[in-house]
Structure formats: structure tokens, C-alpha cells
Amino acid sequence: MFQSQNRNYKTNESLAQQFWHTCLGKLTIGFGILLALLIFAHLTIPDEDTMMMEMTDNVYQCLEANDSIKTDDIDDAVNNLTNIFTTVEELPNKEVIEMYEKYNELKYHRHAFHATTRMYNNMHPDGTLAGIGIFGIVIPTINYSDMLLRTGIMHKGYDQKIIQSTVVSGGESFGSDPELGL
């Protein structure tokens, strides 16, 4: 005899509770949460003015952080993380800002659930990702190496090779070093 045919067997769960305990019920809950997050993300996309103001501040902070020393990728990631919550205290060198504004351009792009800013210059004619705006927060992804701050000639003519910086070869002797056994 099966339990379901026993008249003394009763369940304490309602029909709705039984549905939520099934695989279809759990998938429905998951899709409901995902749908709510997507709707919230769509409603809280930063507008163009906010995004450009925040990204300009983030660019100035990046220029200020790289003023005296060149940073690596880890330093850039940490700086970008802290730039979310801080603002630039004092503007970097005016000449650097003028060069940045002359050779680089930030453009705003709105998507369905987020917004992006891309930096366009001669190094990146298709643009490189400079920031992401989602849930009302602007997250910078800019690196100092993405910006074009100075230009110069690459070759003297079209039939000439590209000018490369020269490095002193190891052929010259700079003296002896007792630590190296020279």
C-alpha cells in the first residue's frame, strides 16, 4: 500500500510551498531575482553628464598618481578602485591637462543595463574602455598607458626606418666592480 493512498497521511505544506520546493520553483525564484536585478540596473544607469564628470575626475586622479612615478597594472587597479570613492584634491600640471585634452577624447556609450566611456586617440582609434557605469556607480578602468600625452616624429620620411631610442651597449667598460669579480 502506498503512502499517498493512506487516508491518515497528510502533508503540512500548501500547494505553493510544494511548488517552490521543486526544480521549476527554484528556477522561477532564480529568474525572478535576475529579472529584478536587470530592471534595477536599467533604472540606475548613470546619465551622460554624471558619467563624464566622474570620468574626468578619474582621469585627473590617474594623471596625478602618475606624475612623479610610473605605475604598473596592479597600482592602476588599486588606484581605479580607490578613485571610485575619492575626488581629485588639486589639479595636476596644467600642461599635462592641456596635452590630455588635445590628444584624447572620452565618449559616452549607453547600453541596455550599463553605460561605458571609451577613450579615443591615435594609439587607440577604435577606443579603449575607460569606465563602466552600473547601479549608479562609475567604475574607472583607465590606465596611464592608454592616454596619449605627447607626440613626436616616428620617422623622417616615408622611405626611412622608424626612429628608435638608442641604448648604450655593454661593450664599453665603466670600471671594475669587486663584487662582480671584475
Side-chain angles (χ1 to χ4, degrees):
M1 178 188 245
F2 295 105
Q3 279 284 11
S4 60
Q5 293 176 352
N6 186 354
R7 294 180 187 205
N8 294 332
Y9 179 75
K10 292 185 180 179
T11 180
N12 293 335
E13 294 181 342
S14 66
L15 189 60
Q17 288 175 331
Q18 289 177 5
F19 174 72
W20 295 123
H21 290 152
T22 64
C23 182
L24 180 63
K26 291 178 183 180
L27 286 174
T28 304
I29 292 171
F31 284 124
I33 291 171
L34 181 65
L35 181 66
L37 281 174
L38 290 176
I39 290 171
F40 183 68
H42 180 73
L43 294 175
T44 59
I45 297 173
D47 62 342
E48 184 173 1
D49 294 334
T50 303
M51 190 85 167
M52 294 305 286
M53 182 181 64
E54 289 285 330
M55 281 309 301
T56 302
D57 180 64
N58 292 329
V59 166
Y60 289 165
Q61 288 185 55
C62 182
L63 290 172
E64 183 181 24
N66 288 281
D67 190 22
S68 60
I69 60 167
K70 302 296 180 229
T71 59
D72 61 359
D73 291 338
I74 294 174
D75 290 331
D76 285 335
V78 171
N79 286 338
N80 283 334
L81 185 64
T82 59
N83 290 350
I84 295 171
F85 307 106
T86 60
T87 58
V88 68
E89 293 176 5
E90 59 184 64
L91 292 178
N93 188 352
K94 280 207 175 261
E95 294 173 4
V96 174
I97 292 175
E98 289 172 2
M99 286 189 294
Y100 162 75
E101 291 174 351
K102 182 178 179 181
Y103 299 120
N104 302 285
E105 181 181 10
L106 276 177
K107 287 190 179 177
Y108 174 83
H109 301 280
R110 185 179 173 99
H111 306 280
F113 303 110
H114 69 287
T116 58
T117 54
R118 297 188 70 81
M119 180 172 290
Y120 296 91
N121 54 32
N122 286 345
M123 288 190 312
H124 304 287
D126 294 333
T128 182
L129 186 65
I132 301 169
I134 190 164
F135 297 122
I137 299 171
V138 177
I139 304 166
T141 60
I142 189 136
N143 293 327
Y144 187 76
S145 61
D146 294 337
M147 294 182 258
L148 182 62
L149 297 175
R150 59 187 71 80
T151 60
I153 59 171
M154 290 186 65
H155 50 78
K156 293 182 180 181
Y158 290 108
D159 58 342
Q160 302 289 324
K161 290 184 178 180
I162 293 177
I163 298 171
Q164 296 179 355
S165 62
T166 58
V167 179
V168 176
S169 64
E172 294 182 20
S173 175
F174 292 104
S176 62
D177 187 356
E179 295 294 326
L180 296 176
L182 298 174

